[in-house]
Amino acid sequence: MLVQPKPLAEQVEQVLRRRLREGVYSAGSRIPSESELAAEFGVSRATVRTVLAKLAAHGLLLRRQGDGTYVNARVQQANAHWGSLWDFNSLIENNGYTPTIQEVAREVRPATEEEALALAIAPGEGLFSIHRLFLADAQPVILAHNVFPLSLFRVPVEQIDGSLHIRRLLQRYAAREVAFTITTVHATHLPEKAASWLCRQPEEVMLSLQVVFYSKDDEPLTLGHSFFDDRLLRLRLVQAW
Amino acid sequence: MLVQPKPLAEQVEQVLRRRLREGVYSAGSRIPSESELAAEFGVSRATVRTVLAKLAAHGLLLRRQGDGTYVNARVQQANAHWGSLWDFNSLIENNGYTPTIQEVAREVRPATEEEALALAIAPGEGLFSIHRLFLADAQPVILAHNVFPLSLFRVPVEQIDGSLHIRRLLQRYAAREVAFTITTVHATHLPEKAASWLCRQPEEVMLSLQVVFYSKDDEPLTLGHSFFDDRLLRLRLVQAW
DNA sequence: TAGTGGTCTAGACCACCCG
DNA sequence: GGGTGGTCTAGACCACTAG
């Protein structure tokens, strides 16, 4: 049975996600019906339905009217779901490696015009800039550069832990929640400096991701630019209707 | 007021999407409250909520508890939502061009081992293969290759209209609905043959998308491989929580 | 025909933001 | 305090699929 410190739907979702992850509901099999789950958790059918709808929208479940709800075996193998286009840690994990974040450079400097435009601040305003390397089993696979408006932070930037992922970093030091992101994907040649950090040849072909994170107040929080080694990591996206 | 030939929620969604598209609810502004919308459409608040939740999940709306629901101006400018990773027509449209589909080659041939594996058929089984070029204002921007198990079609392949997009083609000639897709994104050099079709230099850097379409019965429907000119078209993805 | 998911309602209470 | 979105319930009826 569930108690009420957190929303019931959230608790149900966590339980179901765990069962999927741990194979309690095995790949391709049918899971219990809505009524059965509602009875088991002691919640209404509507509450169960919102959870199942969400998991189905993410492709984890396949629902067939008049039949039942099934575990989507294919998507369990896929490695990047909705969240992961910018969440490099889980992306690396989902590819079967152990992720590490390594800070390679940080500085405070004025914003370029382009950065100021994207972040909705004045050109020349202070920026916190950080370069980080993501390792998959100790092998460099992603180089990520992020810039934040300096005014966002409530602590001196020296205190910022560069090994946190973006969402937690923003939570902890800026007290902001990410509401949505916009990512642009490009294919480019690898710049020389980035190549040396990634231990790759310059001018190799790489995926380049440019991401802007926004708060629910439509405020730009950070600008990210990363180079992505798509030979080691597969960028695989699932979409469901 | 609404009638009941189609689900109420679907009708409400269409109306709201149109209002967003046409600027009835202008960018950044607050839209009517849930209760007001429910009253206007003559449906329950729950029905309105499912629609608003969906639009918010797609990033079109921003919801703030205790305040209201707002039009996300930034996402209106973005060009590819999660739906459009494979829907090249709307992707081209959203970039501000007029799309055209031009068939460049079609054939029937046996499946390679790799294709057979991805489509869950026997190697050597018959495939319908089609190469198509997507034009943005008459300029070639995407080259797409699709292969379908021949057994899927209920008509001779000569009758297949090569200018339809994948979902409609599958609906019309194979009576199948797409339930989900898995897309892999790569950065590659452009092969020579593809370069000539796209009027580009060979060995140029391009985005390459590999997509598999599945039915809700987990049956692979088609395999797509496309080259994407990311200089003219921006591949921009929105993600919301 | 029994059971499943799909749709919808009416109503309740809560958490939060604003003036 | 009044209005907003957030959560949840109980119950109804429908559409569909399976055996």
Side-chain angles (χ1 to χ4, degrees):
Chain A
M1 270 338 87
L2 306 176
V3 285
Q4 259 283 25
K6 292 211 297 181
L8 295 177
E10 213 169 293
Q11 298 180 61
V12 171
E13 184 182 341
Q14 284 182 353
V15 173
L16 294 185
R17 290 194 108 107
R18 185 171 350 116
R19 290 185 184 171
L20 289 169
R21 199 170 46 241
E22 297 177 352
V24 179
Y25 301 148
S26 60
S29 69
R30 197 172 80 170
I31 75 170
S33 73
E34 298 181 346
S35 322
E36 286 171 317
L37 290 172
E40 178 195 346
F41 294 120
V43 301
S44 75
R45 196 185 143 212
T47 301
V48 170
R49 273 187 67 74
T50 65
V51 174
L52 295 182
K54 184 172 175 186
L55 296 178
H58 288 213
L60 295 174
L61 297 176
L62 296 173
R63 317 199 67 194
R64 309 197 187 119
Q65 183 173 162
D67 183 356
T69 300
Y70 291 77
V71 180
N72 188 341
R74 295 211 148 79
V75 166
Q76 294 220 309
Q77 300 154 6
N79 57 41
H81 305 274
W82 282 66
S84 342
L85 239 193
W86 54 269
D87 181 359
F88 300 136
N89 259 336
S90 46
L91 209 148
I92 290 169
E93 250 170 8
N94 289 329
N95 272 274
Y97 303 101
T98 304
T100 328
I101 303 187
Q102 184 181 310
E103 182 179 334
V104 292
R106 72 161 71 187
E107 62 174 333
V108 171
R109 59 167 172 79
T112 66
E113 286 206 9
E114 200 181 355
E115 290 166 337
L117 188 67
L119 291 173
I121 60 176
E125 213 181 297
L127 281 188
F128 174 55
S129 153
I130 184 168
H131 286 262
R132 309 195 288 176
L133 207 51
F134 289 76
L135 313 178
D137 288 352
Q139 172 140 11
V141 286
I142 299 174
L143 176 67
H145 176 220
N146 278 88
V147 295
F148 308 79
L150 203 54
S151 57
L152 224 52
F153 296 112
R154 318 177 61 83
V155 299
V157 296
E158 293 76 25
Q159 294 178 21
I160 291 176
D161 177 355
S163 70
L164 295 176
H165 52 262
I166 299 294
R167 294 190 75 173
R168 191 172 302 278
L169 195 152
L170 285 166
Q171 275 174 356
R172 182 172 307 177
Y173 304 110
R176 305 298 163 104
E177 287 292 335
V178 177
F180 67 102
T181 61
I182 300 184
T183 306
T184 310
V185 185
H186 282 290
T188 55
H189 291 292
L190 191 57
E192 197 164 332
K193 195 176 191 182
S196 72
W197 273 329
L198 281 167
C199 309
R200 297 280 300 263
Q201 297 304 314
E203 298 303 311
E204 279 195 63
V205 175
M206 299 280 282
L207 277 179
S208 150
L209 306 179
Q210 286 170 272
V211 193
V212 190
F213 293 66
Y214 297 92
S215 74
K216 70 163 183 267
D217 297 315
D218 201 31
E219 172 192 30
L221 300 175
T222 175
L223 194 59
H225 187 183
S226 45
F227 293 98
F228 183 100
D229 185 345
D230 67 343
R231 299 194 307 191
L232 248 79
L233 294 185
R234 295 202 172 274
L235 185 59
R236 218 182 261 164
L237 304 169
V238 177
Q239 195 202 337
W241 283 268
Chain B
M1 270 338 89
L2 306 176
V3 285
Q4 259 281 26
K6 293 212 297 180
L8 295 177
E10 213 168 294
Q11 298 179 61
V12 171
E13 185 181 341
Q14 284 182 352
V15 173
L16 293 185
R17 290 193 108 106
R18 184 169 352 114
R19 289 185 185 172
L20 289 169
R21 200 170 47 243
E22 297 176 352
V24 177
Y25 301 149
S26 60
S29 69
R30 195 172 82 171
I31 74 170
S33 73
E34 299 181 347
S35 322
E36 285 171 319
L37 290 172
E40 178 193 346
F41 294 119
V43 301
S44 74
R45 194 183 145 215
T47 301
V48 170
R49 272 187 68 74
T50 64
V51 174
L52 295 181
K54 184 172 175 185
L55 296 179
H58 288 212
L60 296 173
L61 298 175
L62 295 173
R63 317 199 67 195
R64 309 199 188 116
Q65 182 173 159
D67 183 355
T69 300
Y70 292 77
V71 180
N72 188 341
R74 296 210 146 78
V75 166
Q76 295 219 308
Q77 300 154 5
N79 56 40
H81 304 275
W82 280 85
S84 349
L85 242 192
W86 55 269
D87 181 0
F88 300 136
N89 259 336
S90 45
L91 209 148
I92 291 170
E93 250 170 7
N94 289 330
N95 272 272
Y97 302 101
T98 304
T100 329
I101 304 186
Q102 183 180 311
E103 182 179 333
V104 292
R106 72 162 73 185
E107 62 173 334
V108 171
R109 60 168 172 78
T112 67
E113 286 207 9
E114 200 182 353
E115 289 167 336
L117 187 68
L119 292 173
I121 59 177
E125 214 182 297
L127 280 188
F128 174 56
S129 153
I130 184 168
H131 287 261
R132 310 193 290 176
L133 206 52
F134 289 76
L135 314 179
D137 288 352
Q139 172 138 12
V141 285
I142 300 174
L143 176 68
H145 176 220
N146 278 89
V147 294
F148 307 79
L150 204 53
S151 56
L152 223 54
F153 296 112
R154 317 175 63 82
V155 299
V157 296
E158 294 77 24
Q159 294 178 20
I160 292 176
D161 177 356
S163 70
L164 294 176
H165 54 261
I166 299 294
R167 294 189 76 174
R168 191 172 302 278
L169 194 152
L170 284 166
Q171 275 173 355
R172 182 172 306 175
Y173 303 110
R176 305 297 163 103
E177 287 291 337
V178 177
F180 67 100
T181 61
I182 300 184
T183 305
T184 310
V185 185
H186 281 291
T188 55
H189 291 291
L190 192 56
E192 197 165 331
K193 196 177 191 181
S196 71
W197 273 328
L198 281 167
C199 307
R200 298 280 300 265
Q201 297 304 314
E203 297 303 310
E204 278 196 64
V205 175
M206 299 280 281
L207 278 180
S208 149
L209 306 180
Q210 287 170 272
V211 193
V212 189
F213 292 66
Y214 297 92
S215 74
K216 71 165 184 265
D217 296 316
D218 200 32
E219 171 193 32
L221 299 175
T222 176
L223 194 60
H225 187 184
S226 45
F227 293 98
F228 184 101
D229 185 346
D230 68 343
R231 298 195 307 191
L232 248 78
L233 293 184
R234 295 202 173 276
L235 186 59
R236 219 183 260 164
L237 304 170
V238 177
Q239 194 201 339
W241 284 267

